[in-house]
Each structure stands twice: as structure tokens, then as C-alpha cells.
Amino acid sequence: LRTRTAGARTEPAPGSGGAASAPLSLAVDIGAGTVLSDRYYADALRTAELLGHAGFAVITGGGPGIMEAANKGAQNGNGTSVGLNIALPLEQSANSFQDIKVEFRYFFVRKLMFVKYAVGYVIFPGGFGTMDELFEALTLIQTGKIRRFPVILVGRQYWAKLIDWMRTTVLAQGNIDDDDLNLFHVVEEPDEVCDIIAKHYKARTASFPSDKR
């Protein structure tokens, strides 16, 4: 434990360098296992392009698959492309489309950086890591620990049974409230993602012009 604590202290400090230099950041949370031929690769690339054109930076986990698509799309859209990379025994290799590349050893520090610099989460189909970051974001928003931002699930068919379970089991047994199911959006197209993000950001900054987070 002492060794891990000491190691964590060497991780990039939130608020210094790296992602901090990207003023309008959109964390694109994805699943590293999604193959390049998947249609979601094209959707992620297009989504990031649109967000880049709109002035947002795009933050991903820095790996292959949809992460690569999002970083590449951000560059195509002249946005800042950020990768929060992590050392893993399998699957993680840094993609080559990162303007800002930050390295991590510990998941909890990396997840903190995603949340700190995000004005929205775009969740593409993925596995346990994607679910972990999805539900952590929803929990932090639900409990008021962070300022509310859009959490957008891409792919209605992929997420349908999970949402149905949340409604028919988790909600039905009183473990969440009706309003908790409104903490996220489910969309199909890149344009929908960008509309939600842009409207939220405009509404949030309208009353506080100096607030760029």
C-alpha cells in the first residue's frame, strides 16, 4: 500500500499541464475493444470532428479502436486531441493522433482527470472499463459532487437492455429515483451528440460569461 501511495503521488497532478491546457474539454469515454471495422469507429470520428470544429477539445483514453477514432477526428476538426494513456498488460497501446499525451499507472488518478476537465461524457459501446467510468460519472452527478454535465450514450440498441434493467429492476426496487434516469441521454447520430453538448455549454455559460468550465 505504501509503495502504491508513493507511486500515485508521481502521477500528473490535476490542474497542471497536460489536459489543463485544453480549455474546452469533452471527455469521450469509449471501449478499447471495439474493432476498427465497427460502424462506431466512423461515428466516433465524425462526432469528434464536429466537436473540434465547435471549439471543444476531445479527451480519450489514448488507446486504439474508438479512442483512436475520436483523437483522429478531433485533429481533423482542428480541435485539441488529448490522450490519457495508462499502462496495461493487455490491449492498451497509444494511438498516434494525440496532440497532448499524458501517461498514468493508476486508474483512479486517470479517472479524476477525465472528470475534472470534462464538460460532457460521450459513451460509446465498451466493456467493464466503460461501465466503470459511466456509472462513476452518474454517481458523482447524482450526489452533487460534481457540476452536472451531459452524459451521452451512443447506440440505442447496444444500451437498450441495460437501460431496461435499470428501469424494471433498479428503479422498481427503489434503488434509484425516476429523475436518475434523466441524468443521461441516448442517441444514435453524431449530430445529436453535438447538439446536446453545444446547448448545454451555451446555457451554462450564458449567465457567467467568464465561466469556461
Side-chain angles (χ1 to χ4, degrees), residues 148-211:
R148 183 168 180 172
F149 55 63
V151 176
I152 305 169
L153 309 181
V154 180
R156 290 189 176 91
Q157 183 177 0
Y158 187 87
W159 299 106
K161 290 185 178 180
L162 174 63
I163 296 169
D164 185 60
W165 170 76
M166 291 170 64
R167 181 178 294 108
T168 60
T169 301
V170 184
L171 175 62
Q173 294 187 16
N175 292 313
I176 60 174
D177 296 328
D178 287 314
D179 288 344
D180 293 331
L181 294 176
N182 296 321
L183 295 178
F184 57 87
H185 307 262
V186 186
V187 305
E188 199 68 30
E189 301 296 334
D191 288 345
E192 296 177 87
V193 173
C194 298
D195 285 346
I196 292 169
I197 294 293
K199 288 177 182 177
H200 171 82
Y201 189 75
K202 182 178 180 180
R204 193 179 76 181
T205 58
S207 301
F208 305 94
S210 62
D211 181 3

Side-chain angles (χ1 to χ4, degrees), residues 30-95:
I30 50 71
T34 304
V35 297
L36 298 185
S37 60
D38 198 305
R39 76 170 182 90
Y40 291 116
Y41 185 94
D43 286 347
L45 189 145
R46 180 58 179 161
T47 298
E49 282 182 350
L50 292 172
L51 291 167
H53 284 307
F56 291 96
V58 173
I59 303 176
T60 80
I66 296 177
M67 289 180 277
E68 175 187 292
N71 286 128
K72 183 177 180 180
Q75 290 187 340
N76 291 350
N78 296 316
T80 301
S81 174
V82 182
L84 305 186
N85 300 266
I86 190 165
L88 295 175
L90 298 173
E91 83 180 24
Q92 179 80 358
S93 59
N95 70 67

Side-chain angles (χ1 to χ4, degrees), residues 63-140:
I66 296 177
M67 289 180 277
E68 175 187 292
N71 286 128
K72 183 177 180 180
Q75 290 187 340
N76 291 350
N78 296 316
T80 301
S81 174
V82 182
L84 305 186
N85 300 266
I86 190 165
L88 295 175
L90 298 173
E91 83 180 24
Q92 179 80 358
S93 59
N95 70 67
S96 60
F97 301 99
Q98 302 174 49
D99 300 317
I100 299 173
K101 182 179 178 182
V102 189
E103 301 286 347
F104 295 88
R105 289 180 60 197
Y106 299 96
F107 274 112
F108 74 93
V109 182
R110 181 174 178 250
K111 290 194 293 182
L112 173 61
M113 297 289 275
F114 272 122
V115 170
K116 181 175 177 62
Y117 296 107
V119 297
Y121 267 27
V122 182
I123 314 291
F124 280 86
F128 287 157
T130 299
M131 299 296 176
D132 175 35
E133 294 174 12
L134 164 63
F135 283 108
E136 179 171 59
L138 291 177
T139 299
L140 291 171

